[in-house]
Amino acid sequence: MPPGKTGSHMRKTLLCLTFILSTFAKVHADQLKVEYYGVVSTSSDSNMIKMAQDIFLTQLKSIDYISVEDKRPDSGKTLKATPEFTTEGARIIFYAEIDETTNEDLQKTWNCRFNAMDPDDRIYHTKNETYDSYYKILSGAKSAIEDVLADFRTGSKEETQQQSAGDAANGTPVKTFEGNIDIESLSGTWYGEPFTDKIMILRGGRGFIIFKNGATMNIKITIKKADSKGNVKEIEISQVGKSNASFFPELPREIALNVASSASPITWSFTIKPGELTGTKKTLLLAENGISAKEGSLKTTWLKK
C-alpha cells in the first residue's frame, strides 16, 4: 500500500477507535451505580426467598444502564430488617421486601415491594406487586425493578434540571424549599391518619408515607405562610410521583383502580402547632352515587411521635 494511503488508513482507524472508546466511556459514565442488599422477609419458605433474591440480582445485572454491586452481608440468608448502609457515595440503594399472605380463597400470595433510594435525598422510590405464585415473582419482577430504577436515569434528572432552569429564565417562579428552624423541626416520624402505618418527614423538605396496605408515597413540603420574622405558620404537603390506587384507601378498591391513573396529586394544607399539624387533605372521595369518585377534602391531624 502506498505511504500516503497507509497514513490515511491509520488516521481513519484512529478516528474510528476514538469514537468507539468515547461512546463506550459515555455509556459507562451514564450508568447508574446500584448496590443490591437482598431481600427482607419473615417468610418460613427460606428456599423460595433464597432463589428470589438470587434471581433479583441476575435481573439487575441484565439491565443495560446500571452497574450493580452485590452488597448482601450473606447471600445465603434473608434479611429480617431494613439493611444498614452508609449515606455517602454516589449510588442507588436497592433491596426488596417479600411478605407471605393468604387471600380470601385461602391461597398463598406473595406481596413484593421493590425499594430504590438515593442517599443524597433519602427519598424512597417503590413498586408494589402481588403474585399468586413463586414462579410469577421470577417472571414478573424484572419489569417492576426497571420501573423503580427508571426514575433515577441521568437523562430524566438532566431534563428536570433544564426545565427548572428554563422556567427561571422565562420569569416563571420556580418553587424551592427554603429551610429554617421551624421546618427542620418537623423532621421525624408522624402518625394520625387511619390508613397510614408511618409518616416520615426528612430534613430538606422531603419525606414519605407508608400506608397500611403496603404502598409508599413520596412527599414534599412547601412553605405557604410565614410571619415577619420568617417563622413558618402554614405549609402544604403534596404527593410526588404518579398516583397509585393504593393511595386512595378511602375508596372501594375497584373504583380506586379506575380513577388512580388520572387523579391529581394528593395535597395536605396544614397549620403548624408544636408537635401537631392540623388542616385538610385534598384527595378523591366516594361520590354520592356510590359508584364513582370525586375530589373532596377531609379534616386531618398529624401528631409527632
Side-chain angles (χ1 to χ4, degrees):
M1 183 179 291
K5 291 187 176 181
T6 301
S8 176
H9 178 72
M10 289 181 66
R11 284 193 296 273
K12 289 181 179 178
T13 301
L14 287 171
L15 286 171
C16 183
L17 286 172
T18 300
F19 174 77
I20 292 172
L21 290 173
S22 63
T23 302
F24 178 84
K26 184 179 187 304
V27 167
H28 283 263
D30 289 343
Q31 282 191 320
L32 291 175
K33 294 180 180 180
V34 175
E35 290 183 354
Y36 175 60
Y37 283 82
V39 171
V40 179
S41 181
T42 56
S43 172
S44 59
D45 194 341
S46 58
N47 290 331
M48 189 284 288
I49 299 298
K50 173 66 167 61
M51 293 179 68
Q53 69 172 342
D54 287 343
I55 198 70
F56 292 162
L57 178 61
T58 300
Q59 291 170 334
L60 282 165
K61 288 181 176 179
S62 70
I63 301 174
D64 57 7
Y65 60 82
I66 74 167
S67 62
V68 61
E69 181 179 357
D70 188 355
K71 299 289 286 187
R72 291 176 291 174
D74 187 335
S75 60
K77 292 184 179 180
T78 305
L79 297 170
K80 300 300 182 185
T82 301
E84 295 183 3
F85 43 80
T86 64
T87 57
E88 299 177 355
R91 84 283 192 213
I92 304 301
I93 306 299
F94 184 90
Y95 66 96
E97 298 173 80
I98 299 179
D99 294 323
E100 179 183 326
T101 60
T102 303
N103 64 19
E104 296 177 353
D105 298 324
L106 301 181
Q107 295 178 327
K108 186 180 292 185
T109 60
W110 308 93
N111 300 320
C112 296
R113 180 162 66 210
F114 302 94
N115 305 286
M117 191 267 285
D118 184 344
D120 285 343
D121 55 25
R122 297 187 67 83
I123 293 179
Y124 281 85
H125 295 243
T126 66
K127 178 77 172 182
N128 295 278
E129 295 288 351
T130 299
Y131 304 96
D132 57 18
S133 73
Y134 160 68
Y135 296 100
K136 287 187 178 179
I137 295 177
L138 303 188
S139 62
K142 185 178 179 181
S143 61
I145 292 172
E146 289 181 322
D147 285 347
V148 173
L149 294 174
D151 291 340
F152 297 94
R153 296 192 70 172
T154 304
S156 298
K157 290 184 178 180
E158 288 176 350
E159 288 170 7
T160 299
Q161 292 168 354
Q162 290 170 2
Q163 179 65 45
S164 296
D167 288 343
N170 293 329
T172 303
V174 179
K175 290 186 177 180
T176 58
F177 174 78
E178 298 177 1
N180 58 34
I181 190 169
D182 291 281
I183 287 294
E184 295 302 317
S185 68
L186 296 179
S187 61
T189 304
W190 296 75
Y191 69 99
E193 294 198 8
F195 297 103
T196 62
D197 184 52
K198 182 185 292 184
I199 302 168
M200 290 294 298
I201 295 180
L202 309 174
R203 292 187 180 276
R206 297 281 178 170
F208 58 91
I209 297 173
I210 300 176
F211 292 84
K212 289 181 178 179
N213 58 28
T216 302
M217 176 198 294
N218 291 321
I219 55 174
K220 66 177 180 179
I221 295 93
T222 304
I223 298 170
K224 301 301 291 183
K225 183 179 180 181
D227 62 21
S228 58
K229 296 181 180 180
N231 296 312
V232 178
K233 298 298 183 181
E234 296 178 9
I235 61 171
E236 180 180 271
I237 296 178
S238 55
Q239 168 192 333
V240 176
K242 295 180 180 179
S243 289
N244 182 314
S246 297
F247 293 174
F248 305 98
E250 297 90 352
L251 295 174
R253 183 64 177 175
E254 288 301 318
I255 296 176
L257 288 169
N258 289 333
V259 300
S261 61
S262 59
S264 300
I266 297 171
T267 59
W268 291 260
S269 297
F270 283 129
T271 298
I272 300 177
K273 298 179 181 179
E276 180 178 314
L277 300 175
T278 58
T280 58
K281 173 185 179 181
K282 186 177 180 181
T283 184
L284 291 179
L285 303 174
L286 189 64
E288 289 78 3
N289 59 19
I291 58 173
S292 61
K294 65 174 184 178
E295 287 193 350
S297 296
L298 297 170
K299 291 183 178 180
T300 187
T301 299
W302 291 6
L303 301 174
K304 192 172 185 182
K305 286 188 177 181

